[in-house]
């Protein structure tokens, strides 16, 4: 099979969701020749393509607990009128601290910041394989990635790689160990995914709203809809959220392509049932129900957790443990969505607790030049249900790239990079590294 030879890089970032975005910006800004590879034509992952346009959470306990490139990004969006940043001093449930963004602008701003930083973009080109060799220290050494381009297969070579694919694809192709699910409150299932649909916000007469809610309930009870299609949301709540984060698509594994394919079929069937219910309820057709479009895939809450040298635990997360090699903070309740319509297992962090992410949990075990950042970073599934949120993923992406920068600056292995130099670089780039950096 012929594989075209592509360019060589210092840093190759695999996947351009929120973690890959900050990793590539940090790497390129610090002078690394950087490539970012993304299977879709649009950056942003769950934030944009997946349609979950909420970034949780930069604020906690009335203070700013995460900053850095992620914060710069939302600030730029807000200045342009495309993000709503909540009041840090507000009191309320954790979800009020999410930053809501406009999806086209969110993707545009990623394009802009990546281009300004000087990263090379490889959009619409999934990673299909990874080249490896054995290094002298007995570990696996990644030499390149093979991407599926319009010209055919293309090989890009690099010195350091960061897996930000959410599912840990690149690390798994390189032979990394991982966990997927495990001990749980979800009866052996992974957390459900959700398909975003985009529903117009109509000013419906009260009688139509009531009829729609009655029909949704009846259909759940008589089997014409699945109880997880819209869970217990009313038509008003669905419209208020514009279709964001409504249903659950349960019982699938987003890191298994056959199962993932079945989940896409199930997700679309779920939205189809909802549209039929809206028709039956007499919601105005113009000429169709007010659901204009859907995301191209079911957004995955949980799949592989790549094993690192270190491992974040729920216990350390909820106690706000400051790991000795902490490189960034994270913040969210433990938030494990149960299978079907069985609620969420949550543990809230009490005042003053600010969890950290150790560098060791971002270094892929057994591979001497690969890091991992974002949802697929190393930790137990309960810790993962918290550190997977977007502001935390952005902080991890930036931190992983800072490690690559310092290692390459001194011609060192990523495990030899000085933690103090990494922290200095991160602070120079406006990041919060440990709870001690949290001041206002
Ligand atoms: C339904 C739902 C609701 C959520 N609600 C919230 C919320 O309200 N607030 C919040 O902060 N978080 C929320 N989360 C969690 C959060 O959105 C995600 O965990 C987070 O966005 C993950 O970021 P990431 O960069 O690690 O991965 P992703 O966003 O998944 O990005 C990974 C990127 O890698 C690309 N990729 C994957 N495989 C390959 C490959 N082989 N080759 C090339 N590219 C590849 C993908 O296309 C994608 O762009 C929610 C998640 C879901 C699913």
């Amino acid at each position: 099979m012929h594989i075209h030879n592509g360019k060589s890089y210092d840093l190759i970032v695999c996947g351009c969701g929120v973690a890959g975005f900050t990793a590539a910006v940090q790497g390129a800004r610090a002078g690394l020749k950087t490539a970012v590879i993304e299977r879709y034509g649009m950056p942003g992952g769950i934030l944009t393509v997946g349609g979950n346009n909420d970034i949780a959470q930069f604020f906690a306990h009335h203070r700013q607990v995460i900053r850095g490139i992620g914060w710069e990004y939302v600030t730029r969006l807000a200045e342009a009128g495309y993000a709503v940043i909540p009041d840090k001093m507000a009191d309320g449930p954790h979800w009020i601290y999410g930053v809501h963004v406009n999806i086209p602008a969110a993707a545009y701003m990623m394009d802009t910041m990546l281009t300004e930083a000087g990263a090379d973009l490889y959009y619409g080109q999934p990673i299909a394989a990874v080249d490896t060799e054995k290094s002298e220290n007995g570990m696996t050494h990644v030499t390149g990635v093979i991407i599926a381009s319009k010209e055919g297969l293309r090989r890009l070579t690099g010195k350091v790689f960061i897996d930000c694919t959410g599912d840990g694809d690149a690390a798994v192709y390189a032979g990394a160990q991982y966990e997927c699910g495990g001990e749980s409150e979800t009866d052996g299932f992974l957390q459900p995914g959700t398909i975003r649909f985009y529903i117009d916000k109509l000013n419906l007469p009260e009688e139509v709203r009531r009829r729609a809610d009655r029909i949704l309930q009846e259909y759940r009870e008589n089997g014409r809809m699945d109880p997880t299609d819209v869970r217990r949301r009313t038509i008003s709540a669905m419209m208020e959220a514009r279709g964001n984060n409504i249903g659950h698509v349960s019982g699938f594994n987003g890191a298994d392509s056959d199962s993932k394919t079945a989940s896409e079929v199930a997700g679309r069937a779920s939205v189809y049932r909802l549209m039929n219910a809206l028709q039956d309820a007499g919601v105005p057709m113009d000429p169709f129900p007010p659901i204009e479009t859907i995301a191209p895939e079911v957004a995955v809450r949980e799949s592989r957790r790549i094993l690192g040298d270190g491992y974040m635990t729920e216990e350390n997360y909820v106690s706000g443990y400051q790991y000795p090699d902490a490189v960034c903070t994270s913040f969210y309740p433990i938030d494990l969505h149960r299978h079907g319509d069985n609620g969420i297992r949550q543990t809230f962090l009490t005042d003053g607790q600010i969890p950290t992410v150790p560098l060791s949990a971002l270094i892929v075990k057994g591979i001497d030049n690969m890091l991992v950042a974002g949802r697929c970073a190393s930790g137990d599934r309960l810790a993962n249900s918290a550190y997977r949120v977007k502001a935390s993923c952005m902080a991890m992406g930036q931190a992983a790239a800072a490690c690559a920068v310092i290692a390459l600056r001194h011609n060192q292995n990523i495990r030899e990079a000085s933690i103090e130099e990494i922290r200095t670089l991160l602070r120079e780039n406006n990041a919060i590294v440990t709870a001690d950096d949290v001041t206002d």
Side-chain angles (χ1 to χ4, degrees):
M1 190 185 312
H2 182 67
I3 302 176
H4 299 269
N5 277 326
K7 290 189 189 173
S8 290
Y9 290 94
D10 297 320
L11 175 65
I12 295 186
V13 177
C14 307
C16 194
V18 287
F21 161 67
T22 55
V25 171
Q26 175 64 85
R29 273 189 191 172
L32 298 186
K33 190 174 174 199
T34 301
V36 59
I37 301 163
E38 169 53 49
R39 73 183 153 139
Y40 285 121
M42 178 155 83
I46 305 272
L47 176 70
T48 57
V49 177
N52 179 260
N53 54 336
D54 175 274
I55 304 182
Q57 65 185 71
F58 293 99
F59 300 153
H61 317 310
H62 299 161
R63 289 182 294 168
Q64 178 141 19
V65 294
I66 297 179
R67 247 190 344 245
I69 291 167
W71 180 246
E72 176 189 335
Y73 169 72
V74 296
T75 306
R76 283 180 70 166
L77 278 172
E79 280 164 3
Y82 295 109
V84 180
I85 295 180
D87 177 3
K88 185 168 65 176
M89 303 313 284
D91 290 309
H94 63 285
W95 45 262
I96 69 165
Y97 298 107
V99 174
H100 291 277
V101 302
N102 167 272
I103 290 176
Y108 166 84
M109 191 60 78
M110 286 188 172
D111 293 336
T112 303
M113 288 176 65
L114 287 162
T115 308
E116 284 171 358
D120 280 359
L121 311 180
Y122 290 86
Y123 287 167
Q125 299 173 74
I127 295 160
V130 169
D131 288 325
T132 62
E133 60 187 26
K134 273 280 166 236
S135 67
E136 282 169 11
N137 58 23
M139 287 190 178
T140 299
H141 183 83
V142 178
T143 56
V145 292
I146 294 165
I147 59 177
S149 72
K150 289 288 181 192
E151 297 75 34
L153 295 178
R154 188 143 62 144
R155 173 179 285 115
L156 305 178
T157 54
K159 294 176 185 163
V160 176
F161 298 78
I162 307 178
D163 187 334
C164 298
T165 60
D167 298 317
D169 288 10
V172 167
Y173 299 163
Q177 297 167 45
Y178 64 88
E179 294 174 342
C180 193
E183 290 295 307
S184 78
E185 299 225 350
T186 55
D187 303 327
F189 293 100
L190 292 165
Q191 293 181 65
T194 291
I195 183 138
R196 170 87 200 252
F197 53 86
Y198 295 84
I199 185 166
D200 296 340
K201 208 170 176 178
L202 299 180
N203 194 7
L204 292 178
E206 191 51 37
E207 68 179 89
V208 178
R209 285 174 194 262
R210 273 206 296 272
R211 191 164 59 234
D213 289 338
R214 200 181 57 241
I215 284 197
L216 289 173
Q217 189 180 342
E218 259 174 47
Y219 283 14
R220 276 198 297 267
E221 285 164 8
N222 68 18
R224 290 183 69 175
M225 287 182 77
D226 189 281
T228 64
D229 287 342
V230 293
R231 293 186 277 168
R232 281 163 232 273
R233 304 291 169 88
T234 61
I235 180 86
S236 306
M238 251 182 268
M239 287 187 174
E240 192 54 42
R242 299 270 166 93
N244 183 21
N245 215 353
I246 303 296
H248 270 172
V249 183
S250 292
F252 300 100
N253 178 359
D256 170 321
S257 287
D258 293 336
S259 179
K260 182 165 167 50
T261 300
S263 81
E264 313 299 6
V265 173
R268 285 188 285 273
S270 160
V271 177
Y272 190 74
R273 286 190 291 269
L274 169 61
M275 292 195 298
N276 286 343
L278 297 183
Q279 278 208 53
D280 294 350
V283 169
M285 301 287 121
D286 185 21
F288 306 122
I291 293 181
E292 284 290 338
T293 188
I294 50 173
E297 68 175 9
V298 173
V300 173
R301 279 195 179 76
E302 179 187 22
S303 62
R304 300 183 187 115
R305 303 173 330 264
I306 300 299
L307 292 185
D309 288 356
Y311 189 77
M312 291 178 267
T313 63
E314 180 208 13
E315 194 187 346
N316 284 347
Y317 196 92
V318 298
S319 66
Y321 179 62
Q322 304 297 296
Y323 287 95
D325 60 338
V327 280
C328 64
T329 47
S330 167
F331 200 93
Y332 208 62
I334 301 298
D335 189 77
L336 197 82
H337 289 236
R338 296 194 184 94
H339 185 65
D341 193 20
N342 296 311
I344 307 178
R345 146 96 190 252
Q346 288 180 316
T347 309
F348 293 93
L349 307 182
T350 52
D351 199 14
Q353 288 164 328
I354 302 171
T356 55
V357 175
L359 178 61
S360 57
L362 306 182
I363 293 185
V364 180
K365 189 174 165 183
I367 303 184
D368 81 349
N369 61 339
M370 183 177 260
L371 297 118
V372 59
R375 176 165 67 81
C376 48
S378 176
D380 68 34
R381 70 183 309 222
L382 287 172
N384 178 265
S385 74
Y387 66 70
R388 71 188 169 95
V389 294
K390 296 184 194 73
S392 298
C393 289
M394 292 176 128
M396 284 187 260
Q398 184 175 355
C403 173
V405 170
I406 298 304
L408 291 173
R409 190 175 282 173
H410 301 295
N411 211 10
Q412 290 171 321
N413 185 281
I414 51 174
R415 288 177 174 79
E416 296 164 343
S418 148
I419 200 83
E420 283 316 319
E421 279 192 61
I422 294 170
R423 289 174 167 176
T424 301
L425 178 70
L426 287 167
R427 289 182 179 122
E428 283 167 5
N429 283 273
N430 203 27
I432 288 175
V433 176
T434 69
D436 289 342
D437 295 332
V438 174
T439 50
D440 53 353

